[in-house]
Amino acid sequence: NITIKINGREVSAPQGSTILEAARLAQIEIPTLCYLKEINEIGACRMCVVEVKGARTLVTACVYPINEGMEVWTNTPKVIESRRKTLQLLLSNHDRKCLSCVRSGNCELQTLCREYKIDDEAYYDGERNGYELDTSAAHMVRDNNKCILCRRCSAICEKVQGVGVIGANERGFKTYIGTAFDMDLAETSCVSCGQCIAVCPTGALYEKDNTEEVFAAIADPEKYVVVQCAPAVRAGLGEAFGMPIGTDVEGKLAAALRRLGFDKVFDTTFSADLTIMEEANEFLDRVQNGGVLPLITSCSPGWIKYCEHYFPEMTENLSSCKSPQQMFGAIAKSYYAEKMGIPKEKMVVVSVMPCTAKKFEIGRDDENGAGVPDVDIAITTRELGRMIERASIRFADLPDEEFDMPLGLGTGAAVIFGATGGVMEAALRTAVEKLTGEELAKLEFTDVRGIEGIKEATYNVAGMDVKVAVASGLKNAKELLNKVKSGEAEYHFIEIMGCPGGCVNGGGQPQQPGYVRNTVDIRAKRAEVLYNLDKNNKIRKSHENPAIIELYDTYLGEPGSHKAHELLHTTYVK
Ligand code: HC1
């Protein structure tokens, strides 16, 4: 370790640490804006400047390494003046319509401006870059007028997702974040994961807002509006109301949706169980009849788009199962509509998802099992938070309520879909019992749990070694698939989720500021909510969900039946 002094206090930190890291070890906070640990460590924004004894200028703490005996001051008048100038300069070319900005209240620039008392935001006003909004993509809007060029978006797109469709164009004052050749985002190989939105500190990147459509559908007496909620929403929504990361709000979520006026409040866990029935069946079929292996999961639309763009030769490995979101819509508009005597054209299916790619998924081809679109409107966890605010619902004061039946009944296996490894674990609980014909002694497949980017395990099932792998985050997916393609690794079954950590860390979840992202494992805390819900659920295997059993008995027949194929399976483009 190396010992230095920060603000007169002795601090010891490992060799190779930066000033920022050493300060954090001693609970001394230095403000940052562009810095994202291990993703964007470029010292560009200069918010983290500090004074170092003997240095000729202020240094950027996020990239400056410590050395023995160094003396650092983090809050001198000189430091504060420099940070104020940085903020004033950023504001001089910033769209300052903060009152109505989607990020007002949780914008990192706004917070710093308040903390540094920037009451002269026009101080450096001069020439402005006026940018047109890019609204071409189904899932998001890019507004460079609010961009501060921190490059967190392009870093996560390239380094974590391995996609790299946005980056800095031009130089100097003209620098802006854009696509190659200034194409519309919709024309690029953007996979709609929304990770760029999740890390954006300002309102420069945000999801397409579909909340008005939802309010209008609810208010329309001609419409029967049902809502479904993805597993991960209950592990993230509380954060939109200031609750600690890792708060389970399942009961309040159901209560809030009911108060918003939906006719029925259902749960995507129902159709996650259904997905397991179909996918386990598909897996066993491929294993027993020499089908294409490894089978790869298909519930994450960001991953699907990535596969189609970057690994088109592997689309045959994709499960033909629609995602639970889409299966839910297909069943709501067929089985449920028929049972309730509601014309399917009158039914509006809204989904609340932790994911921006779900907005894209609802418009894909072959996602209209009942002859009408499976899902009509997909909103993110954040949009639901805004709807709850707009309807003046006091979220924290809501009682816990239950989802409606029967499409609100899901098992413990289904709720863990929202964490990386969860789909694999859920599928194994069903596939192993089907293969062996015996009840599992232990339901937990802990090897596939945890937030590591790539996990693998081998299970001996009925005399066969079943090799499985799990990847989350598309760069990890790429690494895994390249090993499969080269023959370096061989698996029977692979789960891939587009977002690092799975849906709990989806691009549509409430944003946490950089300093939280850098110091707290958000993914693990949210995943814990789901694993606890699984543990406490009386039913923990998809094939034991009574609502699913009834659906097969009275409507679909067997998993993989003709009717199941018509409603619940889809196709891909190469
Ligand atoms: Fe997901 Fe899924 S787990 S993809 O992350 O398979 O979005 O939560 O709803 O569809 O169930 C997302 C989450 C979600 C689907 C399910």
Side-chain angles (χ1 to χ4, degrees):
N1 269 15
I2 285 185
T3 304
I4 64 169
K5 266 192 183 167
I6 305 182
N7 301 342
R9 274 171 59 195
E10 275 202 357
V11 173
S12 152
Q15 185 155 22
S17 303
T18 60
I19 295 175
L20 183 69
E21 286 163 346
R24 282 200 170 146
L25 283 178
Q27 268 97 44
I28 297 169
E29 192 55 34
I30 298 171
T32 58
L33 202 44
C34 67
Y35 176 76
L36 277 187
K37 197 171 151 195
E38 286 158 19
I39 299 171
N40 201 39
E41 300 180 342
I42 57 173
C45 74
R46 298 194 60 81
M47 271 313 292
C48 67
V49 288
V50 292
E51 258 190 277
V52 170
K53 189 176 180 183
R56 277 185 299 135
T57 56
L58 299 178
V59 306
T60 43
C62 72
V63 288
Y64 203 88
I66 56 169
N67 51 55
E68 192 63 44
M70 186 184 237
E71 286 184 51
V72 180
W73 291 271
T74 66
N75 282 317
T76 61
K78 197 170 159 191
V79 164
I80 290 174
E81 190 43 36
S82 167
R83 291 182 191 150
R84 292 193 86 240
K85 265 208 183 78
T86 297
L87 292 167
Q88 285 166 323
L89 284 166
L90 284 172
L91 289 180
S92 73
N93 194 20
H94 190 82
D95 176 340
R96 300 189 295 252
K97 268 196 242 132
C98 300
L99 284 181
S100 56
C101 178
V102 69
R103 293 299 298 277
S104 191
N106 85 339
C107 166
E108 293 180 51
L109 179 62
Q110 189 184 51
T111 303
L112 285 166
C113 286
R114 188 187 62 243
E115 289 173 358
Y116 282 81
K117 200 172 167 294
I118 307 297
D119 48 12
D120 47 1
E121 71 269 10
Y123 192 78
Y124 287 113
D125 262 7
E127 202 185 334
R128 286 262 180 136
N129 286 318
Y131 296 105
E132 265 180 45
L133 269 52
D134 181 352
T135 58
S136 61
H139 69 295
M140 72 179 287
V141 177
R142 293 193 317 112
D143 179 359
N144 272 334
N145 302 301
K146 288 184 178 161
C147 174
I148 58 168
L149 297 174
C150 69
R151 290 158 172 84
R152 286 191 198 175
C153 57
S154 50
I156 202 155
C157 188
E158 188 186 332
K159 291 194 195 152
V160 177
Q161 297 299 65
V163 172
V165 290
I166 44 171
N169 289 342
E170 298 273 5
R171 290 186 165 248
F173 180 68
K174 288 197 173 142
T175 311
Y176 66 94
I177 302 295
T179 61
F181 310 112
D182 267 332
M183 282 189 289
D184 284 342
L185 193 62
E187 290 171 47
T188 68
S189 337
C190 166
V191 301
S192 314
C193 71
Q195 285 297 312
C196 55
I197 304 175
V199 298
C200 179
T202 70
L205 304 174
Y206 51 93
E207 67 272 70
K208 279 241 173 99
D209 187 297
N210 295 108
T211 58
E212 292 300 326
E213 289 159 59
V214 181
F215 277 120
I218 291 172
D220 186 341
E222 291 301 306
K223 300 288 185 198
Y224 190 86
V225 191
V226 306
V227 65
Q228 59 165 324
C229 299
V233 175
R234 69 209 72 199
L237 180 63
E239 294 165 37
F241 300 96
M243 295 178 182
I245 300 165
T247 306
D248 169 13
V249 294
E250 185 176 84
K252 292 191 194 309
L253 168 63
L257 293 167
R258 207 160 273 129
R259 279 151 188 73
L260 280 169
F262 288 101
D263 291 299
K264 287 288 171 199
V265 177
F266 290 139
D267 195 348
T268 314
T269 56
F270 166 83
S271 48
D273 281 327
L274 184 57
T275 303
I276 290 300
M277 298 300 286
E278 291 296 316
E279 200 157 314
N281 180 67
E282 186 180 7
F283 177 61
L284 297 181
D285 181 56
R286 291 198 192 195
V287 169
Q288 287 160 348
N289 299 315
V292 179
L293 290 173
L295 176 69
I296 310 182
T297 59
S298 56
C299 28
S300 162
W303 147 241
I304 293 298
K305 203 170 175 204
Y306 183 85
C307 184
E308 289 175 335
H309 277 291
Y310 296 90
F311 287 88
E313 68 283 8
M314 293 196 80
T315 48
E316 284 171 17
N317 294 76
L318 290 174
S319 161
S320 65
C321 288
K322 286 180 182 173
S323 74
Q325 161 173 269
Q326 299 300 121
M327 283 199 185
F328 177 92
I331 291 298
K333 290 189 179 179
S334 58
Y335 169 72
Y336 185 73
E338 287 166 34
K339 203 167 153 155
M340 302 291 288
I342 304 161
K344 60 190 175 194
E345 292 77 14
K346 277 192 156 199
M347 189 182 274
V348 178
V349 174
V350 176
S351 39
V352 186
M353 296 279 141
C355 172
T356 48
K358 292 284 174 192
K359 288 180 188 284
F360 162 79
E361 184 180 48
I362 64 173
R364 283 182 62 101
D365 286 341
D366 204 8
E367 299 283 352
N368 46 3
V372 284
D374 294 335
V375 176
D376 300 283
I377 310 168
I379 60 169
T380 60
T381 311
R382 290 190 293 265
E383 285 169 277
L384 176 62
R386 286 177 223 139
M387 286 186 70
I388 292 170
E389 282 176 349
R390 208 170 304 154
S392 306
I393 296 168
R394 288 176 192 270
F395 188 75
D397 297 340
L398 288 172
D400 287 345
E401 291 184 6
E402 308 260 320
F403 291 102
D404 291 317
M405 291 297 138
L407 308 197
L409 184 63
T411 68
V415 83
I416 60 173
F417 260 57
T420 165
V423 183
M424 178 59 72
E425 182 167 345
L428 286 169
R429 289 182 192 176
T430 291
V432 172
E433 288 205 355
K434 298 252 159 175
L435 257 175
T436 59
E438 288 166 21
E439 199 172 322
L440 273 171
K442 186 168 171 284
L443 283 182
E444 292 82 6
F445 290 81
T446 45
D447 301 329
V448 292
R449 294 189 179 186
I451 47 109
E452 296 80 52
I454 300 179
K455 295 167 277 189
E456 42 186 10
T458 304
Y459 299 103
N460 191 280
V461 186
M464 173 186 166
D465 275 339
V466 179
K467 290 186 185 167
V468 305
V470 171
S472 71
L474 293 168
K475 195 151 190 205
N476 293 322
K478 182 186 198 170
E479 190 184 321
L480 183 69
L481 294 182
N482 279 334
K483 278 193 191 162
V484 171
K485 265 176 64 178
S486 69
E488 191 186 332
E490 221 180 292
Y491 305 103
H492 298 96
F493 197 1
I494 298 178
E495 175 203 296
I496 295 181
M497 283 294 182
C499 293
C503 299
V504 285
N505 189 35
Q509 293 280 59
Q511 285 123 326
Q512 288 292 345
Y515 75 89
V516 174
R517 293 184 70 92
N518 292 326
T519 50
V520 177
D521 197 337
I522 299 171
R523 297 168 295 182
K525 287 199 173 221
R526 292 179 184 157
E528 206 183 317
V529 171
L530 303 185
Y531 286 111
N532 279 332
L533 283 167
D534 168 37
K535 204 167 65 192
N536 296 327
N537 198 318
K538 280 192 223 70
I539 314 171
R540 300 182 64 194
K541 297 175 224 168
S542 299
H543 55 284
E544 292 181 355
N545 179 336
I548 294 290
I549 295 170
E550 190 179 338
L551 170 66
Y552 278 105
D553 283 352
T554 62
Y555 197 73
L556 292 174
E558 299 290 311
S561 69
H562 180 70
K563 190 143 201 170
H565 264 278
E566 219 173 68
L567 289 168
L568 309 177
H569 292 252
T570 188
T571 46
Y572 306 106
V573 289
K574 275 198 185 179

